[in-house]
Amino acid sequence: MRGLEESGPRPTATPCGCVKPALETGNLLTEPVGYLESCFSAKNGTPRQPSICSYSRACLRIRKRIFNNPEHSLMGLEQFSHVWILFVFHKNGHLSCKAKVQPPRLNGAKTGVFSTRSPHRPNAIGLTLAKLEKVEDVGQASFKYFQSAEEAKRAIEAVLSADPRSVYRRKLCQDRLFYFTVDIAHVTCWFGDGFAEVLRIKPASEPVHMTGPVGSLVSLGS
């Protein structure tokens, strides 16, 4: 009886008899270097464009255990004003191979996926530019994203003014309430013709806390 074989592309030999490395055959293995936690704990209400909500903040927790000398990994990073971050759209649910998508900005019109910022792509990989505020070495951290109630108010107003609803919600669920969470503020609202009305703001019952390994924090601004 033959044993089970692993699926996927196998390394191929070159004319000289050498085996090509996995990177050349398209077989990529990645290891997360860290995890992001932001003031938006759910996709509802999360701004689609970075300029929409200038008060939004996030923390990037670096996984120290993947380095042989973890204290060296962030050395010199504080000298820079911004950082590029490659990430995975882990909330997509499944990969999409649709060639055309309906971006909310086009209000139902379809266009090619590669001409958009849609997270639903063949490979769920994203790229963002973030402002670097500080780098610190911490143990367990309790994050506070907004520095005042006024900042939280302006952030909520910025999210609402951009209408964070999807095309589906705008057309087929116009009369339904919309919910989103910013930091620890759970917002209930509805949208009318050219306006948004906030019905209730209350503390989120279950704030999201980082459950990954202890590491270093990189504070990011928009």
Side-chain angles (χ1 to χ4, degrees), residues 10-25:
R10 302 178 66 85
T12 57
T14 62
C16 66
C18 299
V19 176
K20 288 185 178 180
L23 290 179
E24 294 186 13
T25 60

Coordinates of all heavy atoms in Angstrom, one line a residue, residues 10-25:
R10 N 5.6 20.2 -7.0 CA 6.8 19.6 -6.4 C 8.0 20.3 -7.0 O 7.9 20.8 -8.2 CB 6.8 18.1 -6.7 CG 5.6 17.4 -6.1 CD 5.7 15.9 -6.5 NE 6.8 15.3 -5.8 CZ 6.7 14.8 -4.6 NH1 5.6 14.9 -3.9 NH2 7.8 14.2 -4.1
P11 N 9.1 20.3 -6.3 CA 10.3 20.9 -6.9 C 10.7 20.3 -8.2 O 10.6 19.1 -8.3 CB 11.3 20.7 -5.7 CG 10.5 20.5 -4.5 CD 9.3 19.8 -4.9
T12 N 11.2 21.1 -9.1 CA 11.6 20.5 -10.4 C 13.1 20.7 -10.6 O 13.7 21.6 -10.0 CB 10.9 21.3 -11.5 OG1 11.2 22.7 -11.4 CG2 9.4 21.1 -11.5
A13 N 13.6 19.8 -11.4 CA 15.1 19.7 -11.6 C 15.5 20.6 -12.7 O 14.8 20.7 -13.7 CB 15.6 18.3 -11.8
T14 N 16.6 21.3 -12.6 CA 17.1 22.1 -13.7 C 18.0 21.2 -14.6 O 18.2 20.1 -14.3 CB 18.0 23.2 -13.1 OG1 19.1 22.6 -12.4 CG2 17.2 24.1 -12.2
P15 N 18.4 21.7 -15.8 CA 19.2 20.9 -16.7 C 20.5 20.4 -16.1 O 20.9 19.3 -16.5 CB 19.5 21.9 -17.9 CG 18.3 22.8 -17.9 CD 18.0 23.0 -16.4
C16 N 21.0 21.1 -15.1 CA 22.2 20.6 -14.5 C 21.9 19.6 -13.4 O 22.9 19.1 -12.7 CB 23.0 21.8 -13.9 SG 22.2 22.6 -12.6
G17 N 20.7 19.3 -13.1 CA 20.3 18.3 -12.1 C 20.0 18.9 -10.8 O 19.6 18.2 -9.8
C18 N 20.1 20.2 -10.6 CA 19.8 20.9 -9.3 C 18.3 21.0 -9.2 O 17.6 21.1 -10.1 CB 20.5 22.3 -9.2 SG 22.3 22.2 -9.4
V19 N 17.9 21.1 -7.9 CA 16.4 21.2 -7.7 C 16.2 22.7 -7.5 O 16.9 23.4 -6.7 CB 16.0 20.5 -6.4 CG1 14.6 20.7 -6.1 CG2 16.2 19.0 -6.6
K20 N 15.2 23.2 -8.2 CA 14.8 24.7 -8.0 C 14.2 24.9 -6.6 O 13.5 24.1 -6.1 CB 13.8 25.0 -9.1 CG 14.3 25.1 -10.5 CD 13.2 25.6 -11.4 CE 13.7 25.8 -12.8 NZ 12.6 26.3 -13.7
P21 N 14.6 26.0 -6.1 CA 14.0 26.4 -4.8 C 12.5 26.7 -4.9 O 12.0 27.0 -6.0 CB 14.8 27.7 -4.4 CG 15.3 28.2 -5.6 CD 15.6 27.0 -6.5
A22 N 11.8 26.6 -3.8 CA 10.4 26.8 -3.8 C 9.9 28.1 -4.4 O 8.9 28.3 -5.0 CB 9.8 26.6 -2.4
L23 N 10.7 29.2 -4.1 CA 10.3 30.5 -4.6 C 10.3 30.6 -6.1 O 9.5 31.3 -6.7 CB 11.4 31.6 -4.1 CG 11.3 31.9 -2.6 CD1 12.4 32.9 -2.3 CD2 10.0 32.4 -2.2
E24 N 11.1 29.8 -6.8 CA 11.1 29.8 -8.3 C 9.9 29.0 -8.9 O 9.6 29.2 -10.0 CB 12.4 29.3 -8.8 CG 13.6 30.2 -8.5 CD 14.9 29.7 -9.1 OE1 14.8 28.9 -10.0 OE2 15.9 30.2 -8.7
T25 N 9.4 28.1 -8.1 CA 8.3 27.3 -8.6 C 6.9 27.8 -8.2 O 5.9 27.3 -8.5 CB 8.4 25.8 -8.0 OG1 8.4 25.9 -6.6 CG2 9.7 25.2 -8.5

